[in-house]
Amino acid sequence: MGHHSVPNNPITGIPDHVEKATLEGKNKYVAFWFFLGGETTLFASLFGTYIGLHNSGAKEGLRSYDIFEMGLVFIMTMLLLTSSLTSVLAMMAMKRNDVKKMKMWLIITLALGLGFLSGEIYEFNHYYHIGHTFTSSAFGSAFYTLVGFHGAHVLFGLLWISTLLIRNWNRGITVVNAPKYYVSSLYWHFIDVVWVFIFSVVYLMGMVK
Amino acid sequence: MEKHEPQLTRNQVELELKADRSREMQLQLTSFALMIFLTLIAFGAVMAELMPHWAAGGFLIIMAIVQVYLQLYMFMHMNNKGNTWIKVMMALGIFVALTIVATLRLLIW
């Protein structure tokens, strides 16, 4: 696995595209995009269900425009969007073999992701207390399935990136761990892609009466 | 006569690398600024109730598609050379996704 034919860049000391310097790295990269193509269809089925069941069976006062907390959703959106940028900055640091900066940006990414997740937990708890639950209406079921599934992806992303950081904490950037960092950052961007559709379709459209 | 490739000095390589990096950094920061801008417009338009009901859905979807395009092509580098299979897979995924959304939209009432 350590063997690779791509020469090191004399300045950085690692290959130029370190995440794709080995066959394994290339395979991981392509296969991960295949997976993301599949995730696209999975989220589409949840979005389709949500659009079909929007406000269906919800009582007066528990419709989307009655309950959504747009201030909180806006803050969560900014946190996740910024975390997508810090993840880009981490990968740029990785490519110039600056492991310290990479770790710093990844930790900031994790902190922003954690902030987002806390916001979502607070939000769900709030909805629960005003009577909008998983079983209160078809709308509730569709809402929690879609938004909750995205939240579960955020949680998985946080655990994934943390695990990579802990496992490789005392290691430099190599052709072995670079593809792992790289696909985890692709996953993190994809989470933001899904959120863009969630804040547009679920929250913003949900506010239009 | 043998031709010799001009040998780049270490200094030149380093300068080139630095130029590449600052170009990349500029590109990414511009994309990020655009994404924030699009988000602000979308939230602003809805919260200020600027849009008639019939126009809101289309407008918000267009804003979302532009932002996702930036995310995929800039942040996730889908535009890079040699990414044909990736584009094929994502195009297929998006095609199936649209079919699913349209079907469910029409099926549930």
Side-chain angles (χ1 to χ4, degrees):
Chain A
M1 256 190 349
H3 174 77
H4 58 97
S5 51
V6 184
N8 286 342
N9 182 306
I11 308 293
T12 59
I14 53 172
D16 276 338
H17 289 279
V18 63
E19 78 281 6
K20 280 177 270 184
T22 61
L23 180 62
E24 186 178 335
K26 280 188 196 119
N27 287 343
K28 271 187 180 148
Y29 177 75
V30 174
F32 200 77
W33 274 99
F34 283 16
F35 166 72
L36 291 182
E39 288 267 287
T40 307
T41 66
L42 177 128
F43 274 104
S45 67
L46 300 178
F47 270 107
T49 309
Y50 176 84
I51 293 168
L53 294 173
H54 176 221
N55 280 346
S56 165
K59 288 195 198 97
E60 195 75 47
L62 286 178
R63 311 244 160 92
S64 58
Y65 38 78
D66 301 317
I67 57 169
F68 286 165
E69 296 283 340
M70 295 313 283
L72 181 64
V73 172
F74 180 73
I75 294 169
M76 284 162 63
T77 302
M78 286 299 147
L79 288 176
L80 207 61
L81 188 54
T82 310
S83 82
S84 206
L85 176 73
T86 57
S87 167
V88 168
L89 296 176
M91 288 308 105
M92 284 176 70
M94 182 182 87
K95 286 185 183 187
R96 58 173 193 265
N97 202 6
D98 188 345
V99 70
K100 262 192 184 158
K101 277 273 170 58
M102 183 195 77
K103 286 198 277 194
M104 180 195 81
W105 286 119
L106 285 180
I107 289 169
I108 295 173
T109 304
L110 288 175
L112 291 165
L114 199 63
F116 172 89
L117 204 60
S118 314
E120 189 152 274
I121 291 167
Y122 170 84
E123 185 200 6
F124 282 9
N125 186 48
H126 168 72
Y127 293 157
Y128 177 80
H129 283 288
I130 58 175
H132 173 60
T133 69
F134 200 94
T135 53
S136 65
S137 61
F139 168 51
S141 308
F143 171 82
Y144 285 109
T145 307
L146 170 60
V147 183
F149 217 79
H150 174 268
H153 274 71
V154 175
L155 177 64
F156 184 82
L158 289 176
L159 294 174
W160 184 3
I161 296 170
S162 314
T163 310
L164 281 178
L165 271 176
I166 294 166
R167 182 72 183 90
N168 293 289
W169 192 255
N170 294 320
R171 290 183 175 139
I173 290 152
T174 66
V175 292
V176 177
N177 61 22
K180 300 181 186 187
Y181 280 122
Y182 196 81
V183 295
S184 77
S185 97
L186 285 179
Y187 183 79
W188 195 257
H189 293 311
F190 187 78
I191 289 174
D192 196 59
V193 166
V194 175
W195 181 254
V196 170
F197 284 111
I198 292 185
F199 83 67
S200 302
V201 172
V202 175
Y203 291 100
L204 290 177
M205 280 189 203
M207 289 310 282
V208 180
K209 278 189 204 181
Chain B
M1 275 266 285
E2 238 181 281
K3 263 189 184 172
H4 283 288
E5 282 282 310
Q7 194 73 41
L8 290 174
T9 64
R10 195 185 158 84
N11 201 23
Q12 278 173 306
V13 174
E14 196 159 8
L15 280 176
E16 232 167 72
L17 211 66
K18 271 192 180 151
D20 275 353
R21 266 177 218 154
S22 68
R23 220 173 302 132
E24 168 85 356
M25 182 64 95
Q26 228 165 23
L27 196 71
Q28 299 296 6
L29 290 179
T30 312
S31 309
F32 179 67
L34 267 171
M35 288 176 194
I36 296 275
F37 180 67
L38 291 165
T39 306
L40 287 176
I41 290 187
F43 272 86
V46 169
M47 298 323 284
E49 294 176 23
L50 287 175
M51 280 176 300
H53 185 265
W54 58 268
F59 174 77
L60 290 169
I61 284 293
I62 290 169
M63 288 286 130
I65 288 172
V66 176
Q67 185 167 167
V68 161
Y69 176 85
L70 286 172
Q71 187 82 230
L72 290 172
Y73 275 78
M74 298 301 162
F75 280 13
M76 297 167 85
H77 297 101
M78 230 173 97
N79 57 335
N80 283 9
K81 271 179 265 167
N83 275 351
T84 316
W85 275 110
I86 285 159
K87 284 178 186 149
V88 170
M89 274 322 282
M90 282 311 279
L92 266 173
I94 291 166
F95 172 72
V96 176
L98 290 175
T99 313
I100 292 171
V101 170
T103 309
L104 287 169
R105 177 85 183 82
L106 296 170
L107 214 61
I108 308 171
W109 69 87

